[in-house]
Amino acid sequence: GRVLQTVLRAILDGFIRQPVRIVPVAFAAGILAATGLLMLPVAQADPGSTRFVDALFTATSAIAVTGLVTVDTPTHWSGFGEAVILGCMQLGGLGIMTTAAFLGMLVSRKLRLRSKLMTQAELHPSISLGDVRSVLRFAMLFTLVVEGTFAAILALRFHFAYDLGAGEATWHGVFHSVAAFNNAGFALYSDSIIGFATDPWISLPLAFGTVLGGLGIPVVYELLRRRSQLTWSLHTKMTLAGTAVLLFGGWLVLLALEWSNPGTFGQFAWHERFLPAFFQSAVLRTSGFNSIDVGQLNDDSLLVSMVLMFIGGGSASTAGGIKVTTFFMLMLVIWAEIRGERDASAFRRSLPMPVVREALTVALVYLALNVVAVMLMQRFEPDIMLAPIMFEVVSAAATVGQSTGITYDLGDPSKWLLAIVMYGGRIGPVLFATSLAMATRKRLYRYPETRPLVG
Amino acid sequence: GRVLQTVLRAILDGFIRQPVRIVPVAFAAGILAATGLLMLPVAQADPGSTRFVDALFTATSAIAVTGLVTVDTPTHWSGFGEAVILGCMQLGGLGIMTTAAFLGMLVSRKLRLRSKLMTQAELHPSISLGDVRSVLRFAMLFTLVVEGTFAAILALRFHFAYDLGAGEATWHGVFHSVAAFNNAGFALYSDSIIGFATDPWISLPLAFGTVLGGLGIPVVYELLRRRSQLTWSLHTKMTLAGTAVLLFGGWLVLLALEWSNPGTFGQFAWHERFLPAFFQSAVLRTSGFNSIDVGQLNDDSLLVSMVLMFIGGGSASTAGGIKVTTFFMLMLVIWAEIRGERDASAFRRSLPMPVVREALTVALVYLALNVVAVMLMQRFEPDIMLAPIMFEVVSAAATVGQSTGITYDLGDPSKWLLAIVMYGGRIGPVLFATSLAMATRKRLYRYPETRPLVG
Ligand SMILES: [K+]
Ligand SMILES: [K+]
């Protein structure tokens, strides 16, 4: 007991002091271990063992809860291999959710310390083992309840409507429920969820599992603990409102752009088009299942999709991207500027300039890294057009996992590149935002202000 | 005298009170008049008259100093037609430079008034006829000197090295010098400047004419009037430093990306590749000539080019884009944030937050409009790939005028779209930035600040 607690305390202290070092190492270690497991002959359906680059890609994709694959999940892997993937998705999702939640706690405590002490200098914020226990317990309980509920619904449906035996139906229910809640997008069907495009009993649990997993621990905690809307934090209100806007906006726009595309929604009767469009909007920003062929989307839909993937889901959730609050803060600044307001505000609270600067920095640096990755991948894959390359890179960076279908055909350099992009896209934004917020402001004097021309 | 002065004063008052209405109308009127002139049978080389949409496109392209063309300039137009284009480029360039300079004066006077009177309420800044006269005189003199000098160099070179007669050499010298200084990119050769790629006597005058035209009236004025660097404004310093960084950075990056591309720089001996790469970097952000085949650039170079075009040149110049200072302000904010500094600063001056918010707003709204235009054009041209469509739209919006070669083959809806994009891209950013800066801040109370999570 004592020894374990001392060890845990030491790890926690290391995390608190240098999250920007501990987190990347922890995720990398997990990826390497999973790569090793996936390279075991027992992990493969056919005899032999998986190539290192494909095992690494799959492990990274699962732990970074992305869902891109270079080998076909149901045919390539054995039951053991699929179980490894399931474990990776679960640990990866739980890991990033709780890590980001702890980092959020650290930042808010640091800022509280700072506001109390004008000369804060060397005081460091802290997280106790009790905090860790309660956040972990909450996250695990929430995960278990949501995944259990949707796994049960899915399993029943697989059993009764698709004639899967009890064991297989349960396995499929659990696997896809975990994949949905952790926004990991792996599927036990070669064509993802396309076979269930018009079945609400399959696609709605996956869609809502995705959305719930993508809200984030701080939001869910408040929703469950505080009954009255009046006591919700700005972060919760912005995340909920932003998610609703993106969910319904994406639904309508995709429906309009793809209404008569025979390759996508146009293949269904008109009244059957709403469900797959809603599904696409729900999973597109984060979980990466697909119930239509993404490669058949027209280029306009691909562009809209890239924007939505880039935005992603809620902070401290299993979703990726720059996050809903980051995006809407920038929109609110622009909106305030256009209306001639002094401050950007939402729900009768104004946004402090430092946090807006952080949002801008995270968004533009993330954008720049996406552009660099696109340029590298264009070098590696001269025969693939710009649109699918952009889509693939954004999908990897935002840990979404949808693909126009080029992933299987990529060369090894592109697989390495995308693995790095998934890894960086998973832990990058939260670590970067944390270190920006934690940075002690240097330079106590200020220069006089001057104004260059704009436009 | 008296009557004229009263009329001018009335026009000026209208401009001061509602620049956002007067400027678009003035530019639209100029475009319509030029369209009419270009539709006259005498404007065309062959019998008959030019189609309305092509005349409108050419007139817009010339007045918005872009340089995109749907008909081949040297073969389609008569000498009269070319003279109309020359006039449009000159009036368009002078018009946008001086308009933006006046708007910059208005903004800085408004802000000075505001800082003097805490309760400013209804005081309006003003520009006198004297101001107008002196700015116009300065702009015209500067135009005349630069254009005259480079026209002379070009004419001599055309005459002695390319055997053009004195009259034709003079005409070519004047036309291309005007096109360069006004960043308008029209050329009297069907393949633009490709025939002169390795001739420094042609390409360097065009490159330097472009750069000088793209600095902007306020910068040039300070450079000529204030000998000591110490008295230069932050705007001037940022524009000069930014231009240098973009010019040399673009040179090196393009050289690296295209070094061995046989379709572009790779066709020349190694020591001959530096000149066309420098030329491309100099003209790419604004003037739109090309001395290599843009359609042969690899996709990475196209992406880099789009970024450079998007940035553009100096404020109150003949260049387009969001402008050098707008871009570097955003970079400086990010840099300060990453370094943990309290303010973004340059040259020992900090950037006020309101101007940073304006820069952010101008850049992101401009980006969003580019995306919308790309989506529309993809609808209109289903057979053209994403990369050339993006390049064409950014080139039109930033009034650059380089093209991968698709402009001739566009359908009428795309021509209309690009004409609107050129028109909006020309006057949009400066008017938008002005109205943001001039807006009276409403709402005297402030909400309490709260901080959502980022990343
Ligand atoms: K995913
Ligand atoms: K131009």
Side-chain angles (χ1 to χ4, degrees), chain B residues 64-67 182-185 286-288 398-401:
Chain B
V65 291
T66 306
N182 291 290
N183 285 356
T286 65
S287 84
T399 67
V400 168

Side-chain angles (χ1 to χ4, degrees), chain A residues 61 64-68 179 182-186 283 286-289 318 395 398-402:
Chain A
S61 183
V65 292
T66 306
L68 289 174
N182 291 291
N183 286 354
F186 279 83
V283 299
T286 65
S287 84
F289 291 117
T318 56
S395 175
T399 67
V400 168
Q402 287 204 346

